[in-house]
Amino acid sequence: MLLKTLLITSLLGWVKCQDSQIMTLEEKTVIRDQIVEMFDHAYGSYMKNAYPADELMPLSCRGRVRGQEPNRGDIDDSLGKFSLTLIDTLDTLVVLNKLDEFEDAVRKVVTDVRLDNDVVVSVFETNIRVLGGLLGGHVMADLLKQRGERMQWYRDELLHMAKELGHRLLPAFNTTSGLPYPKVNLRYGVLNPLSRTGTESDTCTACAGTMILEFAALSRLSGESVFEEHARKALDVLWQRRQKGSDLVGTVINIHNEEWVRRESGVGAGIDSYYEYLMKAYILLGDNVFLERFNIVSPPSLYTHIEIYTQAFGTCCICHYEVHQSAPLLLNVHMHNPTVSVRSWMDSLLAFFPGLQAFTSEFRVHWGQHLLRPEFAESTYYLYKATGDPYYLRVGQSIVEKLNAYARVPCGFAAVQDVRTGMHEDRMDSFFLAEMFKYLYLLFSEKSQLPIDIDDYIFTTEAHLLPVSLSITKPPYQGNHTTLFPNNPSFAKTIRDSYKYLTGVGRAFHPVPVREIDLPFHDNGMEPVEFLKSMGISLTPLNEDHKGVYRVKLVAEVSQAPEEEEVVPHVVQLISPPFLGRTVITAGPAKFGMDLTKQEHGVKGSIAKASPYTACVPVDNAAQLKGHIAVALRGDCMFAVKARHLQEAGAIGVIFIDHREGSNSQDTPLFQMVGDGDSTEDLTLPLVFLFSQEGAVLTSALKENHNVDVLLLPKERQLGHGKTEKPAGMNIKLRLAEEGELEDGAARGPTLEFVLEKDGMILKEVEEEAQHKQFCTEATEDDRTEPYSADASQNTNSAPDAEP
């Protein structure tokens, strides 16, 4: 009875809320005009007080120029001395129908902005803000020119600048994996002695997975395929490295060995736009590869994982923003163990996921900053366009009012340092103009009031506008992808319309009474339902109206998996003369090929270098490699590709050497080499990996000796391991003898006589029976035999000497 009363009360309250939220066209016009005035205040303050600097400092009323202000760490990686805020705002000026200001801004960008500055910038931020801003600006300029209204002087200058910037970002992709470096020098690239970059080993998932829209658009607008190719390859790697059980990805990945550095998973900072770009890439480019991946890691799968793994279910009263303790929250989980939350609070970027509210499950403020981020306004706009619910207009109205009340200052809008005190921060990021005002203006605008048909464009993660007509633009290359509609715009529109509610435009979303989940087949051959049952997940059939539909009940307890997989150290032991097993080099194993831990005596053979050294193509010295253990350089292609070429050449094993100069196992943890995503069951030879310094020991030995035999085996089984060799010795009793005593026959038994001479020490063994027959040996340095060994810095291990 109590439950029924609460339910009726809640429904009556909801109806009352709905009636109070209806907004008239006059109210929307007033709010829209207010948004324009706020934009003018912010943009005008930047142009008056900051331009051509990258950002406005709204409390200081001056521009923020990198190097002239106190360093803020990674935050400053967005600043490249390229008038960031102006470029980021270009297409916002068009959306707000400020076409005179837009034309003036384009002239300023073309005339004043340089992209060859000697400055290290974030690849991710530069791509979404600057490259995206230039492309969005070009699309708008070209549209206005085609209409014949203005911009008749424009000759694709913004597109040419975008192409230049794209080439300046490309060096970041010069990695073995194809995942980009997180930073690049605009003038000197990466790994150049003057670049001050190239030492980074990690990048975030969003950083590597949020390139495809801008890079593919650049390729299709410019005709140069290289940009789309690199962005696709980075997405391919992230896809291959997902956790196959949960289809989740981690937050940070190593760009060289493709191993996860941080394994927590969610839809917030570090991952957010990776999911976003999978779906949007399908809509923009018409490639079903992206849709297939999105359908696996995203709806229904993503929403299923989110509901199962990262939410606590409950109710919230949307009228008063009250959230009960069991309200829906998106919390990060471990990618290998999705039942375990890694934190109890949400970051602001989670608000990009429509409909979320920033509260914590602990009801404590973990992060008091409000950086004028637009994600909540973005979600509000998306939800209103998807549902038509006037409630979201009231939410948008609240955002406008609160920005004016708490963030507005005389020279623009300032981030709030702490929402509990209201103290400001001297900061107004470019995304405030690029996104916040764009989403708010669109929220309160009718289609007829906009200078463009917004349904013809897709938003990048920085809210830049790219035309969906690119889906019918033939790619400038033919790669491993399928274009669904190369010459059929109407079919493209049909496909896009089905997914518009996910990207904020088009048809309203109508929930169905029963949520259906597609269950994929699994490699073990079991049917999906049986597979779930084997995991301890109870499935109860619903009634006859929903045949084949089950109610899911989770009854399994999942034990926490170890944070990192254990890597069994291997070794390359040099056993031919002059090494004789005393030079032992630490090596890493592989997840494919022969399992050396199951080989009692390891694998023995002579080594030979592959030609070409990288072995990315069939080798041209198969005769020299046949029956030998091949040595090949890492880089340019996957380990599995190299291994196949060397196995086909007749090699009996492979030693890979890192191409990164100076790398060593002392500074870098060992890792297991992985395959290329395809089956590696055909690879049967043993594979090990040496870092650069350890590899130099091996190549030096090969250079200095005609033949070098080695053993490949686990470290614990190396020859001589665990044995302690005792030096040979004897008890010697010394007695001083009088001069001439030995000649007089005073000594009894075997006698050793030490005689000191100018050139060294003479050892004589005197046998009484043999009339003092003697022999001597010189103990000099020339008679000592030393094993080949590397300098300590090269991190080799020496087995105990086996001398008698």
Side-chain angles (χ1 to χ4, degrees), residues 487-500:
N487 297 299
N488 192 343
S490 61
F491 182 62
K493 186 176 187 302
T494 301
I495 297 296
R496 288 195 301 275
D497 285 346
S498 301
Y499 290 90
K500 276 185 177 180

Side-chain angles (χ1 to χ4, degrees), residues 93 95 135 156 176 195 211 258 346 416 619 651 672 680:
L93 290 166
V95 171
L135 291 172
D156 296 342
T176 303
S195 69
M211 307 291 292
E258 304 172 22
M346 295 164 50
V416 179
V619 296
Q672 298 186 72
T680 53

Side-chain angles (χ1 to χ4, degrees), residues 332-393:
N332 280 25
V333 297
H334 194 287
M335 62 178 287
H336 288 286
N337 189 4
T339 62
V340 177
S341 295
V342 297
R343 68 186 185 201
S344 59
W345 54 276
M346 295 164 50
D347 60 64
S348 63
L349 292 180
L350 282 167
F352 96 95
F353 205 85
L356 300 183
Q357 301 172 24
F359 293 94
T360 74
S361 59
E362 298 175 351
F363 295 93
R364 294 192 291 115
V365 176
H366 286 261
W367 188 22
Q369 284 182 304
H370 186 284
L371 300 177
L372 306 180
R373 287 195 179 278
E375 282 77 16
F376 187 65
E378 175 186 5
S379 290
T380 303
Y381 167 68
Y382 284 173
L383 284 167
Y384 177 67
K385 291 299 181 182
T387 66
D389 189 340
Y391 158 70
Y392 297 109
L393 294 176

Side-chain angles (χ1 to χ4, degrees), residues 607-662:
I607 61 175
K609 290 179 67 173
S611 176
Y613 199 15
T614 59
C616 286
V617 296
V619 296
D620 53 29
N621 64 333
Q624 288 77 24
L625 294 180
K626 187 175 182 180
H628 289 66
I629 295 176
V631 179
L633 188 67
R634 178 188 186 184
D636 296 342
C637 63
M638 304 295 286
F639 288 120
V641 174
K642 301 170 184 283
R644 287 190 179 93
H645 290 151
L646 296 171
Q647 181 171 281
E648 291 169 0
I652 61 172
V654 180
I655 301 172
F656 292 113
I657 297 178
D658 196 1
H659 66 304
R660 295 176 300 141
E661 186 175 353

Side-chain angles (χ1 to χ4, degrees), residues 21-300:
Q21 289 166 5
I22 296 175
M23 184 175 290
T24 66
L25 289 176
E26 290 75 14
E27 286 181 284
K28 292 174 66 174
T29 299
V30 170
I31 297 173
R32 188 174 63 253
D33 291 343
Q34 185 179 11
I35 293 168
V36 173
E37 186 278 329
M38 293 167 63
F39 173 84
D40 288 341
H41 177 64
Y43 180 70
S45 294
Y46 166 75
M47 296 304 295
K48 177 182 177 181
N49 300 294
Y51 181 79
D54 283 316
E55 287 180 354
L56 167 68
M57 299 172 65
L59 301 183
S60 304
C61 293
R62 69 173 189 269
R64 182 182 296 280
V65 179
R66 190 167 175 179
Q68 296 182 13
E69 303 294 335
N71 188 284
R72 300 178 299 170
D74 290 345
I75 298 175
D76 285 341
D77 289 342
S78 301
L79 312 180
K81 299 181 180 179
F82 36 33
S83 300
L84 171 64
T85 298
L86 181 63
I87 293 177
D88 217 0
T89 310
L90 287 176
D91 53 9
T92 303
L93 290 166
V94 176
V95 171
L96 271 62
N97 209 17
K98 293 185 168 295
L99 304 186
D100 290 337
E101 290 86 344
F102 171 73
E103 186 160 4
D104 180 65
V106 172
R107 288 186 184 277
K108 282 184 168 59
V109 170
V110 171
T111 303
D112 300 342
V113 173
R114 292 182 60 89
L115 299 171
D116 62 347
N117 303 311
D118 180 12
V119 60
V120 176
V121 297
S122 163
V123 173
F124 168 74
E125 297 290 353
T126 304
N127 174 65
I128 65 172
R129 298 200 205 186
V130 186
L131 182 58
L134 291 170
L135 291 172
H138 164 70
V139 169
M140 295 295 102
D142 188 59
L143 175 66
L144 295 176
K145 180 181 179 181
Q146 295 303 322
R147 289 179 180 175
E149 300 170 358
R150 55 180 71 237
M151 303 295 297
Q152 297 305 304
W153 58 269
Y154 183 68
R155 296 293 183 271
D156 296 342
E157 287 87 348
L158 294 181
L159 178 59
H160 296 318
M161 294 180 68
K163 186 164 64 173
E164 178 191 347
L165 181 60
H167 282 290
R168 294 186 181 280
L169 294 178
L170 280 181
F173 290 83
N174 189 22
T175 61
T176 303
S177 66
L179 296 170
Y181 282 96
K183 299 179 183 180
V184 67
N185 187 297
L186 291 175
R187 180 177 298 174
Y188 298 112
V190 178
L191 297 175
N192 185 296
L194 300 176
S195 69
R196 307 185 300 282
T197 58
T199 59
E200 303 88 2
S201 60
D202 307 328
T203 194
C204 71
T205 300
C207 301
T210 312
M211 307 291 292
I212 186 64
L213 293 190
E214 293 84 358
F215 267 43
L218 179 57
S219 282
R220 300 195 179 197
L221 290 170
S222 69
E224 293 190 17
S225 64
V226 63
F227 308 109
E228 185 170 346
E229 289 170 355
H230 280 83
R232 282 176 177 269
K233 184 176 181 182
L235 272 179
D236 289 344
V237 174
L238 293 175
W239 173 249
Q240 293 161 4
R241 299 302 296 151
R242 76 191 189 283
Q243 210 287 323
K244 300 302 191 298
S246 64
D247 286 319
L248 296 176
V249 293
T251 307
V252 178
I253 191 170
N254 186 292
I255 61 177
H256 301 298
N257 60 32
E258 304 172 22
E259 296 293 327
W260 292 107
V261 178
R262 288 178 55 188
R263 294 171 182 261
E264 64 254 38
S265 188
V267 292
I271 303 180
D272 52 352
S273 48
Y274 165 70
Y275 294 117
E276 175 186 0
Y277 268 39
L278 282 179
M279 184 62 204
K280 289 183 176 179
Y282 167 66
I283 296 174
L284 182 70
L285 306 176
D287 190 336
N288 68 342
V289 168
F290 300 115
L291 178 61
E292 292 167 359
R293 294 179 182 180
F294 181 82
N295 283 335
I296 291 177
V297 303
S298 299

